């Protein structure tokens, strides 16, 4: 087969790296795979069609245009070849154009043959469509053979027509009931050995750029006309540019030459370290990379749902800040008129369990606290507090730096053994350097966002003297709302567009506290139970940037429900004025545990 007839889809070779599919559990599911395309997708159809002559064996592996399986065989489906219609099927032919050419069967013919054989489409189907470059290859050959042709207009016409063919094919498949259509655009053709020098490089890039622009425009129209189909565009052009510029990142030693020398009829000794198997086709490394690129697009809803931990982390931090304010107003200490300034350090570690598609997560922060309090009388106390925390979050394939600034106001009243208090505050949390390890490992996408979290808490209780100990049953209600800004990822794979999200809830708790000790040394222990009375968290909504793919939403329960609470601590008087508090706070929920340690110095003035 000539270079003019081989599939341009093979140019995905610039993704030629041996990487693995994502290991995370995927709730997005597809019942089967149906493939239309050219040699990048062909699992042996042309080989069988030509009686085992194209591509020639044994240079090419088992009828594939590569030295291994093609990317459509690596998406998790066992597809049969041309002629069958049940289960996963592959109708792609090497050398296929996008039109109704008969030999090899063009992509329009592939669809007609599938339908004529009784093939149908359903909402659970994933249909892969990749083609168009053979039209460009053949246009480049025609321009080279006929000097009277205007290169720009001829190539533009060929590429535009090919894009219109593909958009029409997508429209037909979506209109027939296919739930998801995965459409791959063309790479930058000048990055391949066969098109690396002028004038081929110029013509190739004109063709791929024109095709991609026309395809994107056409698919917007198709998506609007088929709202029940999720049309996902795989941006191969951007990905190939990234990999061509960073081959060493993926262990590739040769990103410019073909492994197979078609003149000398020799193969290189290390094909896995090459991007190209021949002038335009990828090695098996390239196909594995292209498969992982496709997987990153196919499962964007699941991958993006991991960002739920951002809202949950902001919610948890505000919940903890409100507790700190209440704690200062509900101890057994006598309230004396005057002022108190205090400061301290806090360490917080929170672990979230894995929940379906949400991987296990952990946050770890260190912070400082500063409080100023005024006791107006033995019955009234008020104060304000400021907090600063820094740390990091790791959640499966997601990681981020955390920086939080918080402020709280509180006031409390007590009379004899009874007390009631209230706290209100706001936090601003920056999630900087958000990094998502894509399915196209080791490619990492970056982003950043911010959460503003508000909350209020009311607590009431009483104290009972029990000899040398004091017991306090108490109850509290709290409201917390974390508003997380949406953000857009940056990177060469499936760029997530994460929507704004609010995590809001009302909690109720009951607890029993015991305190003991003397004037110089004291201790306390507290146990209780907290639950969510209402969980009004928005679903996590994920779209793809500059893409016709539909936003996907995942509703996720707040993991901080049904918490068992444990507070332990000691306090000591250091000299005449300085008090030292050392405390531990544990929160144990079904899907999350947190541990907080704090050291605080208090100085009256």
């Amino acid at each position: 087969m000539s270079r003019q007839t081989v599939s341009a889809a093979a140019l995905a070779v610039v993704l030629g790296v041996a990487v693995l599919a994502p290991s995370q559990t995927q709730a997005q599911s597809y019942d089967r795979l149906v493939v239309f395309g050219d040699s990048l997708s062909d699992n042996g159809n042309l080989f069988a069609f030509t009686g085992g002559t194209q591509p020639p064996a044994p240079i090419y592996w088992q009828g594939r245009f590569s030295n291994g399986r093609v990317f459509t065989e690596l998406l998790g489906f066992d597809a049969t070849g041309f002629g069958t219609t049940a289960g996963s099927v592959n109708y792609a032919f090497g050398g296929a154009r996008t039109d109704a050419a008969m030999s090899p069967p063009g992509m329009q013919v592939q669809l007609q043959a599938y339908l004529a054989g009784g093939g149908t489409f359903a909402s659970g189907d994933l249909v892969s469509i990749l083609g168009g470059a053979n039209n460009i290859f053949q246009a480049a050959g025609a321009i080279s053979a006929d000097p009277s042709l205007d290169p720009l207009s001829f190539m533009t016409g060929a590429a535009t027509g090919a894009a219109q063919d593909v958009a029409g094919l997508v429209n037909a498949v979506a209109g027939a009931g296919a739930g998801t259509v995965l459409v791959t655009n063309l790479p930058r053709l000048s990055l391949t050995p066969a098109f690396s020098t002028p004038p081929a490089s110029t013509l190739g890039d004109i063709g791929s750029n024109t095709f991609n622009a026309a395809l994107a425009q056409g698919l917007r129209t198709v998506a609007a006309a088929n709202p029940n189909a999720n049309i996902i565009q795989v941006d191969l052009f951007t990905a190939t540019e990234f990999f061509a510029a960073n081959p060493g990142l993926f262990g590739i030693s040769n990103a410019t030459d073909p492994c197979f020398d078609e003149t000398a009829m020799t193969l290189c000794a290390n094909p896995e370290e090459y991007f190209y198997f021949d002038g335009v086709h990828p090695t098996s490394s390239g196909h594995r990379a292209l498969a992982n690129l496709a997987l990153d697009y196919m499962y964007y809803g699941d991958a993006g749902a991991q960002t739920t931990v951002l809202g949950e982390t902001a919610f948890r931090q505000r919940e903890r800040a409100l507790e700190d304010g209440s704690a200062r107003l509900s101890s057994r200490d006598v309230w004396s008129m005057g002022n108190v300034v205090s400061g301290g350090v806090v360490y917080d570690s929170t672990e979230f369990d894995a929940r379906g598609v949400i991987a296990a997560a952990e946050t770890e922060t260190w912070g400082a606290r500063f409080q100023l309090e005024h006791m107006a009388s033995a019955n009234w106390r008020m104060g304000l507090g400021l907090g600063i925390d820094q740390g990091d979050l790791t959640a499966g394939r997601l990681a981020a730096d955390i920086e939080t600034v918080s402020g709280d106001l509180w006031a409390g009243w007590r009379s004899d053994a009874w007390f009631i208090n209230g706290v209100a505050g706001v936090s601003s949390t920056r999630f900087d350097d958000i990094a998502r390890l894509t399915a196209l490992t080791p490619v990492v996408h970056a982003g950043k966002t911010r959460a503003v979290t508000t909350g209020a808490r009311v607590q009431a209780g009483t104290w009972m003297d029990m000899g040398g100990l004091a017991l306090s049953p108490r109850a509290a209600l709290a409201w917390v709302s974390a508003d997380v800004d949406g953000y857009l990822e940056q990177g060469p794979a499936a760029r997530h567009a994460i929507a704004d999200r609010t995590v809001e809830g009302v909690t109720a708790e009951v607890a029993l506290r015991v305190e003991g000790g003397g004037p110089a040394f004291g201790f306390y222990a507290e146990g209780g139970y907290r639950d969510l009375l209402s969980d009004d968290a928005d679903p996590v909504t994920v779209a793809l940037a500059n893409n016709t793919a539909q936003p996907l939403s995942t509703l996720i329960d707040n993991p901080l429900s049904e918490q068992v609470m444990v507070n332990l601590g000691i306090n000591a008087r250091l000299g005449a004025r300085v008090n030292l508090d050392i405390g531990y706070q544990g929160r144990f929920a079904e899907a999350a545990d947190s541990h907080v340690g704090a050291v605080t110095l208090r100085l009256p003035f």
Side-chain angles (χ1 to χ4, degrees):
M1 178 178 295
S2 68
R3 286 175 179 161
Q4 285 71 27
T5 59
V6 291
S7 166
L11 297 227
V13 68
V14 292
L15 299 176
V17 288
V19 292
L20 299 176
S23 60
Q24 65 199 55
T25 303
Q26 295 161 334
Q28 280 181 270
S29 61
Y30 303 102
D31 296 335
R32 64 180 191 133
L33 173 68
V34 180
V35 180
F36 303 108
D38 49 31
S39 61
L40 186 58
S41 304
D42 186 352
N43 64 347
N45 288 324
L46 184 66
F47 188 72
F49 188 72
T50 60
T53 61
Q54 294 187 62
I59 297 171
Y60 292 89
W61 185 81
Q62 296 188 13
R64 279 72 167 177
F65 286 81
S66 185
N67 62 322
R69 296 190 184 279
V70 297
F71 89 99
T72 53
E73 298 178 277
L74 305 175
L75 300 180
F77 303 88
D78 186 14
T80 56
F82 182 86
T84 59
T85 58
S88 294
V89 294
N90 188 325
Y91 272 59
F93 274 83
R97 292 171 54 90
T98 59
D99 53 24
M102 295 302 297
S103 182
M107 294 172 66
Q108 306 298 325
V109 175
Q110 295 169 23
L111 175 60
Q112 293 167 10
Y114 174 74
L115 296 175
T120 59
F121 296 100
S123 60
D125 289 351
L126 171 68
V127 181
S128 173
I129 296 177
L130 196 166
N134 282 317
N135 302 56
I136 294 173
F137 288 162
Q138 292 176 20
I143 291 170
S144 177
D146 187 353
S148 67
L149 295 175
D150 178 67
L152 178 60
S153 62
F154 191 83
M155 180 58 75
T156 299
T160 301
Q164 292 172 345
D165 286 343
V166 172
L169 187 67
V170 174
N171 185 60
V173 168
T180 304
V181 187
L182 194 72
V183 189
T184 305
N185 68 11
L186 296 182
R188 183 175 177 179
L189 299 184
S190 62
L191 296 176
T192 63
F195 285 81
S196 61
T197 58
S201 58
T202 302
L203 285 174
D205 282 351
I206 290 173
S208 57
N209 286 326
T210 301
F211 176 90
N212 290 344
L215 178 64
Q217 181 178 356
L219 291 180
R220 286 192 290 270
T221 301
V222 171
N226 296 276
N228 293 326
N230 191 15
I231 300 171
I232 306 172
Q233 299 178 57
V234 178
D235 187 2
L236 183 56
F237 188 94
T238 297
T240 54
E241 286 192 318
F242 177 85
F243 283 100
N246 301 276
L249 184 65
F250 302 90
I252 298 299
S253 61
N254 192 322
T256 57
D257 301 318
C259 171
F260 173 41
D261 186 332
E262 296 176 78
T263 302
M265 296 297 291
T266 58
L267 291 172
C268 66
N270 53 339
E272 295 303 305
E273 296 182 21
Y274 277 66
F275 278 139
Y276 303 99
F277 186 70
D278 58 22
V280 292
H281 289 101
T283 60
S284 57
S285 296
H287 278 289
R288 285 193 293 270
L290 179 54
N292 285 335
L293 177 67
L295 288 166
D296 204 47
Y297 280 90
M298 287 165 53
Y299 297 105
Y300 66 94
D302 287 352
Q306 189 66 55
T307 59
T308 184
V309 297
L310 303 181
E312 294 164 359
T313 296
F315 185 99
R316 165 69 189 119
Q317 289 184 329
R318 177 97 302 269
E319 189 178 62
R320 186 194 70 193
L322 294 174
E323 292 180 60
D324 291 345
S326 286
R328 310 191 67 80
L329 302 171
S330 58
S331 69
R332 190 55 171 159
D333 294 341
V334 176
W335 289 1
S336 300
M337 294 181 62
N339 303 307
V340 174
V341 64
S342 58
V345 294
V346 178
Y347 169 77
D348 188 335
S349 174
T350 301
E351 297 180 353
F352 299 97
D353 294 342
R355 294 161 281 157
V357 300
I358 310 302
E362 180 177 1
T363 65
E364 188 174 46
T365 61
W366 286 91
R369 297 290 182 272
F370 306 94
Q371 296 95 18
L372 177 62
E373 294 179 286
H374 174 67
M375 274 69 75
S377 69
N379 302 105
W380 287 97
R381 184 172 182 174
M382 61 195 68
L384 61 88
L386 298 175
I388 301 174
D389 294 274
Q390 287 190 327
D392 54 65
L393 175 153
T394 56
R397 290 174 168 260
L398 191 75
D401 293 338
I402 306 171
E403 296 181 4
T404 300
V405 177
S406 61
D408 292 271
L409 297 173
W410 55 80
W413 172 86
R414 66 164 51 175
S415 178
D416 296 326
W418 295 92
F419 64 88
I420 185 171
N421 54 66
V423 186
V426 62
S427 303
S428 176
T429 301
R430 290 170 49 189
F431 295 99
D432 290 332
D433 298 325
I434 298 175
R436 178 177 70 89
L437 179 62
T438 69
L440 194 58
T441 310
V443 174
V444 174
H445 280 196
K448 61 181 179 180
T449 189
R450 186 184 72 147
V452 175
T453 312
T454 52
R457 174 182 167 95
V458 177
Q459 183 185 55
T462 187
W463 283 98
M464 299 177 290
D465 291 325
M466 307 290 292
L469 298 175
L471 295 179
S472 175
R474 69 265 311 271
L477 285 173
W479 164 80
V480 175
S481 179
D483 296 318
V484 186
D485 293 341
Y487 70 94
L488 180 64
E489 285 187 342
Q490 300 300 318
R495 295 172 57 207
H496 292 175
I498 307 297
D500 295 349
R501 181 175 183 241
T502 296
V503 178
E504 184 174 357
V506 175
T507 62
E509 66 182 60
V510 292
L512 180 65
R513 184 182 179 99
V514 58
E515 292 189 8
F521 176 83
F523 66 89
Y524 66 86
E526 181 177 331
Y529 175 79
R530 173 188 295 150
D531 198 9
L532 279 168
L533 297 182
S534 68
D535 180 5
D536 297 322
D538 293 337
V540 179
T541 301
V542 187
L544 293 176
N546 301 319
N547 206 297
T548 50
Q550 295 177 356
L552 298 180
S553 297
T554 305
L555 187 62
I556 301 168
D557 292 337
N558 192 323
L560 299 172
S561 62
E562 301 183 9
Q563 299 179 51
V564 174
M565 305 183 298
V566 176
N567 295 330
L568 303 171
I570 58 173
N571 50 72
R573 184 178 297 276
L574 304 179
R577 296 174 60 82
V578 179
N579 295 317
L580 173 67
D581 295 336
I582 301 175
Y584 164 79
Q585 180 189 92
R587 299 292 180 264
F588 307 95
E590 182 178 353
D593 296 333
S594 68
H595 306 275
V596 179
V599 178
T600 305
L601 290 174
R602 292 182 290 141
L603 177 65
F605 68 95

